[in-house]
Amino acid sequence: MLPGEVQNNKLQLIGKLTASLIHEIRNPLSVIKLNLDLIKLEDNLSKDILDSVNDSLSATNRIEYMIDNLLSFARVVTHGHEHFSLNKITSNAIDLLAVKANKYGINIVTEFDESLSQIYADKNKLLQILLNLITNAIESYNKDCKGDIIIKTSSSEENGNKKIHWSVKDSGVGISEDNISKIFEDFYTSKVNGTGLGLSVCKMLADELEVQIEFESKPGHGTIFKVTFDVNRMRKLYEATNTSN
Ligand SMILES: Nc1ncnc2c1ncn2[C@@H]1O[C@H](COP(=O)(O)OP(=O)(O)OP(=O)(O)O)[C@@H](O)[C@H]1O
Ligand SMILES: [Mg+2]
């Protein structure tokens, strides 16, 4: 077995273990929540007790939010590689996040290169990456800081190296110098309700898809995340899996 395959098998196993562990956490957690709700219904609770119960309820809600996120990551259903339109899958991702963008009062603008050739990748894995990056762009805004999100697709060619580019640009809070090295770490988050897994998952899926993720950020001005597809690499991958011998 090749080292990459061992790593893949380990990841699959961890995915399965995570999914079943999360399942096991869910039931006792709902019992705790139910009991806390029941205690809240009691008359004559002192303020201290009520505060403690409310704190415990928020903590259980946070655990629930985190395991929901973990479950959705562990459950990325894959269909293998196929040809599809990057513009179309981006529109799908934007549709899925329309309600969230609306809630933040954010306008998502697209600048699609309509002449882009199709890409060859695992659609669901790529969708997961796009969803996480657009979600982060939306969440980079707060009530004092509003603006558009610009999602762009384009292509380039240098010395026969054809690339397809995807980017999401926000003018949100940006990432401070100190945090730039941390954002891809598991569980690193600067958000009250974040799990800090979004970008770790993006990195894992991008490695699997052999696509590159880079970013540039200016605190107070915004951030751009770029995904680059190597057209020759995708062609080779297609030929390797579809050539009969
Ligand atoms: N577009 C962005 N603008 C500003 N900060 C960002 C952006 N994208 C990522 N970050 C920073 O990187 C951190 C890690 O992002 P990541 O997506 O991994 O986790 P999260 O968004 O905090 O939580 P979740 O697991 O719910 O995605 C964020 O908490 C934030 O500090
Ligand atoms: Mg995130």
Side-chain angles (χ1 to χ4, degrees):
M1 208 182 276
L2 297 166
E5 284 179 66
V6 175
Q7 195 62 19
N8 263 349
N9 286 346
K10 270 192 196 163
L11 280 175
Q12 273 178 4
L13 188 65
I14 291 170
K16 268 190 200 153
L17 284 174
T18 312
S20 58
L21 181 68
I22 285 167
H23 236 83
E24 294 306 309
I25 295 173
R26 239 174 219 284
N27 293 339
L29 192 67
S30 49
V31 175
I32 295 172
K33 271 186 76 174
L34 192 75
N35 283 331
L36 288 169
D37 278 330
L38 281 176
I39 295 172
K40 265 182 86 172
L41 291 178
E42 283 287 315
D43 293 332
N44 307 324
L45 285 181
S46 75
K47 186 179 174 303
D48 282 353
I49 301 267
L50 197 61
D51 284 350
S52 302
V53 172
N54 280 331
D55 284 350
S56 308
L57 267 173
S58 318
T60 48
N61 283 336
R62 182 160 158 71
I63 298 174
E64 208 165 48
Y65 173 81
M66 290 187 76
I67 62 176
D68 278 350
N69 259 359
L70 265 175
L71 254 192
S72 68
F73 292 148
R75 270 201 202 123
V76 182
V77 186
T78 62
H79 297 298
H81 279 56
E82 59 189 301
H83 280 106
F84 58 92
S85 149
L86 181 59
N87 293 346
K88 219 180 235 168
I89 191 104
T90 305
S91 299
N92 290 345
I94 296 170
D95 287 347
L96 287 169
L97 292 171
V99 173
K100 188 177 175 89
N102 224 4
K103 215 174 93 188
Y104 276 75
I106 301 298
N107 198 20
I108 301 183
V109 180
T110 54
E111 292 176 12
F112 288 158
D113 176 348
E114 298 296 346
S115 67
L116 223 55
S117 51
Q118 289 205 318
I119 54 167
Y120 183 67
D122 187 304
K123 217 184 204 171
N124 281 0
K125 286 183 182 174
L126 184 65
L127 180 64
Q128 190 80 31
I129 293 177
L130 306 188
L131 285 172
N132 281 332
L133 296 181
I134 304 170
T135 301
N136 281 346
I138 297 173
E139 290 172 352
S140 74
Y141 291 97
N142 54 46
K143 60 179 186 330
D144 311 313
C145 161
K146 295 248 175 293
D148 288 346
I149 286 176
I150 300 165
I151 303 182
K152 224 181 200 169
T153 57
S154 62
S155 65
S156 68
E157 183 169 356
E158 215 177 289
N159 305 326
N161 287 324
K162 286 190 188 162
K163 301 267 160 85
I164 290 179
H165 309 274
W166 183 96
S167 64
V168 56
K169 183 171 179 286
D170 64 63
S171 12
V173 288
I175 303 164
S176 72
E177 195 106 349
D178 286 349
N179 293 337
I180 275 183
S181 58
K182 299 185 193 151
I183 62 165
F184 282 97
E185 282 173 14
D186 293 345
F187 299 111
Y188 170 74
T189 183
S190 59
K191 300 169 193 170
V192 182
N193 285 319
T195 63
L197 283 169
L199 286 179
S200 328
V201 170
C202 282
K203 176 91 185 60
M204 182 185 88
L205 296 175
D207 287 348
E208 285 175 30
L209 294 180
E210 299 186 41
V211 299
Q212 244 191 325
I213 300 185
E214 294 158 305
F215 71 97
E216 284 162 36
S217 188
K218 236 184 168 184
H221 287 87
T223 307
I224 179 164
F225 270 85
K226 300 176 188 171
V227 181
T228 310
F229 303 81
D230 183 326
V231 175
N232 294 342
R233 181 77 204 120
M234 286 192 293
R235 188 174 304 130
K236 276 193 190 129
L237 249 165
Y238 174 72
E239 283 165 4
T241 35
N242 291 279
T243 322
S244 50
N245 37 15

